[in-house]
Amino acid sequence: MLYSKDELLTTLSINPWFGALPLAERKLMLAAADVQHLRAGEMLYRKGDPVGGFYGVVQGAIKVSTLGEDGREGILSVVEAGVWFGEASLVDGLPRPHDATAVQAGVVLVISQPAFNRLMQRGVFARAIGRLLCGRLRALYGMVEDSMLRSTRTRIARRLLTLARGDATMSSNARASVTVSQEALAMMLGITRQTLSKELKVLVHAGVLSMGYGRIEIVSLPDLELCGALA
């Protein structure tokens, strides 16, 4: 599918970070970007790859993950349409710290390292990248805090709320349906499928969630938010 510049601008501006940029900066980013099509399961980059580019998801979703020594996969994030990512390696020049894989066929915009460096000479863009990195850091601290201090059920509720708001997009409006398998959710939380299933059954019985094929329906957002607020 071909996208016009206006369509790209509209699609990507749903993201709070990109949408908050002045229109001139957004148009400069789009002018500097190339379009890349991905097949389902195709890797955008692997852990250890050189810097590469700064990516914006136009269509589909990208799984950011890593493999443990035992071969188990840990899913760190699911990057959806509207989200820009991959800036860390462009800023520090170090290799990619994780794998990035297309969950389904999709389209991404790619701003090359030279183009990114030119944009970084602009104060507005450089400050925006600083805010983006701060947002990643806050999210990381939140995940560490959850794993150290919160119960498994609370962690599940908080992760579902994050996914309902678009994960990295973090929209203020939560969706009523989260497209995620139980296996993938367990990987995100670093728990077994059995443990996750046990906790989900409790939330389903309480009328907070209902289960679908490859998705989880949020029946009561206020109750899920209450579960996520408990320590």
Side-chain angles (χ1 to χ4, degrees):
M1 179 177 180
L2 297 177
Y3 291 87
S4 68
K5 291 296 183 182
D6 287 341
E7 289 173 329
L8 290 173
L9 186 64
T10 299
T11 298
L12 292 167
S13 292
I14 65 173
N15 174 262
W17 177 79
F18 186 73
L21 286 170
L23 181 59
E25 297 298 318
R26 283 179 278 161
K27 287 184 174 181
L28 281 173
M29 288 178 64
L30 296 182
D34 295 317
V35 176
Q36 181 175 347
H37 294 265
L38 297 170
R39 301 181 304 275
E42 183 177 354
M43 298 196 77
L44 186 60
Y45 56 76
R46 296 178 183 273
K47 181 177 180 178
D49 279 355
V51 174
F54 184 43
Y55 301 98
V57 182
V58 178
Q59 178 186 328
I62 305 294
K63 173 182 66 176
V64 179
S65 63
T66 189
L67 291 177
E69 293 181 357
D70 59 358
R72 288 190 303 165
E73 183 182 30
I75 299 176
L76 306 176
S77 180
V78 177
V79 186
E80 299 183 337
V83 178
W84 290 84
F85 69 103
E87 71 285 344
S89 289
L90 286 157
V91 172
D92 63 20
L94 298 178
R96 295 294 184 185
H98 308 110
D99 298 332
T101 310
V103 177
Q104 56 201 31
V107 179
V108 296
L109 295 184
V110 186
I111 296 179
S112 68
Q113 185 177 14
F116 181 87
N117 290 339
R118 288 193 296 272
L119 288 168
M120 284 292 284
Q121 301 303 310
R122 301 175 61 84
V124 172
F125 182 79
R127 287 191 294 272
I129 291 296
R131 288 194 299 273
L132 188 60
L133 287 168
C134 286
R136 310 274 197 227
L137 186 60
R138 287 178 183 273
L140 176 60
Y141 281 154
M143 292 171 63
V144 173
E145 181 181 316
D146 284 353
S147 66
M148 292 175 62
L149 301 176
R150 293 186 169 87
S151 69
T152 301
R153 191 172 305 163
T154 301
R155 290 175 59 207
I156 292 169
R158 290 168 70 86
R159 190 60 174 163
L160 286 173
L161 287 167
T162 298
L163 291 169
R165 294 189 170 99
D167 208 346
T169 307
M170 288 312 294
S171 169
S172 58
N173 298 317
R175 293 170 298 192
S177 180
V178 176
T179 305
V180 63
S181 67
Q182 290 190 40
E183 182 180 5
L185 184 58
M187 289 178 182
M188 292 179 190
L189 293 161
I191 60 178
T192 66
R193 171 73 180 272
Q194 292 76 14
T195 297
L196 174 65
S197 180
K198 177 182 176 181
E199 296 293 344
L200 287 176
K201 285 179 181 177
V202 173
L203 293 172
V204 169
H205 183 72
V208 179
L209 304 174
S210 68
M211 308 304 298
Y213 181 73
R215 69 182 187 278
I216 298 173
E217 306 288 346
I218 300 174
V219 177
S220 174
L221 181 61
D223 285 339
L224 186 63
E225 289 175 333
L226 182 61
C227 291
L230 298 176

